[in-house]
Amino acid sequence: MEALFAPEEQEAPTGPLLRVHDLRRSFTVSGTRIDVLKGCSLEVARGEVVAVVGQSGSGKSTLLNIIGLLDSADSGEHVFDGVDVTRLREGQRARLRNERIGFVFQQFHLLERRSALANVSVPLVLAGVPLVRRRAIARELLESVGLGDRLSSQPHQLSGGEQQRVALARALSLNPALILADEPTGALDKASSTMIMDQLLDHARSRNTAVIVVTHDPEVAARADRTVTMSEGRILPAEEE
Ligand SMILES: Nc1ncnc2c1ncn2[C@@H]1O[C@H](COP(=O)(O)OP(=O)(O)OP(=O)(O)O)[C@@H](O)[C@H]1O
Ligand SMILES: [Mg+2]
């Protein structure tokens, strides 16, 4: 597979995988401006697992959406995998997002009338991976999350925990450098929550994949290498936590 952003094509990957610095993002609702990110800075090393905690409304999802190239900051620095993403065109951003970043959301966001296999294949289709190869990759990933016998099941035929495992397999399908997980266990019971975190962290640690996981669950945060706190649109410096 041709990979635009393969690490070997870039300068030596010595710096952090991700650096955002002094990000600002406002929304205007009914003529009123709301400043959501107010100078938010964060660095994440390759393979590092970072938990983001903080009150509801502090801007965690807004930050994750920007890091995931689903949204853009109004200003600030944003370097991912050696690339200054503020200078990319939309097509390049879309490709970087698909090939180097995996997403796991609280509400799974699976395609409804499609099989587990088809859902896991979505990033592979977008990246132009041939059919036989993407079937093999999707099957192997679904087996690795314990769903080898549910390849043709559609989301409505799966439990919440099983749907989240499909979403995790999808996030891993192109072996991304970074996985963004926004309250991945927020809709799950304790057993499913533990299973998802086990699988997410096992995969991430064996492939040196960095993870940013937003969570309200102290047990999830405790499993990260580092926890940062978001407060009123900023990541607090370590001494203020
Ligand atoms: N598209 C938008 N338009 C207007 N306001 C927005 C938009 N997105 C987010 N906001 C506002 O930004 C603030 C932060 O929202 P965000 O979703 O980032 O918080 P959060 O920390 O993820 O909260 P939670 O823990 O509840 O998920 C909120 O006040 C929210 O209403
Ligand atoms: Mg949120």
Side-chain angles (χ1 to χ4, degrees), residues 41-165:
S41 302
L42 178 67
E43 284 192 10
V44 177
R46 288 167 201 278
E48 188 179 22
V49 178
V50 178
V52 180
V53 302
Q55 287 186 349
S56 179
S58 57
K60 303 181 297 297
S61 295
T62 303
L63 174 64
L64 233 61
N65 287 341
I66 292 170
I67 291 173
L69 308 176
L70 298 167
D71 185 25
S72 297
D74 301 323
S75 66
E77 295 169 34
H78 184 176
V79 178
F80 174 69
D81 213 2
V83 176
D84 177 355
V85 299
T86 65
R87 303 170 76 91
L88 295 181
R89 294 188 301 274
E90 184 47 38
Q92 295 172 306
R93 283 168 57 90
R95 188 158 178 197
L96 188 58
R97 180 193 310 135
N98 184 56
E99 297 187 2
R100 304 293 287 155
I101 304 176
F103 295 89
V104 183
F105 299 98
Q106 181 174 0
Q107 297 303 335
F108 321 136
H109 290 304
L110 298 173
L111 298 175
E112 269 313 318
R113 308 248 152 244
R114 305 296 303 280
S115 67
L117 202 70
N119 268 286
V120 176
S121 300
V122 167
L124 301 161
V125 172
L126 291 173
V129 178
L131 179 69
V132 173
R133 174 126 180 80
R134 64 182 191 247
R135 285 239 170 100
I137 293 171
R139 177 180 290 119
E140 190 180 314
L141 279 166
L142 283 164
E143 284 168 357
S144 79
V145 296
L147 293 174
D149 55 348
R150 305 303 297 272
L151 301 182
S152 52
S153 297
Q154 296 182 5
H156 69 275
Q157 299 167 323
L158 297 169
S159 72
E162 289 165 347
Q163 289 184 60
Q164 195 62 305
R165 285 189 271 152

Side-chain angles (χ1 to χ4, degrees), residues 22-43:
D22 202 19
L23 290 185
R24 290 167 195 275
R25 178 72 168 107
S26 305
F27 298 101
T28 301
V29 181
S30 311
T32 306
R33 198 177 95 167
I34 310 167
D35 295 324
V36 176
L37 298 187
K38 305 178 208 174
C40 184
S41 302
L42 178 67
E43 284 192 10

Side-chain angles (χ1 to χ4, degrees), residues 60-61 182-183 214:
K60 303 181 297 297
S61 295
D182 195 348
E183 299 189 45
V214 170

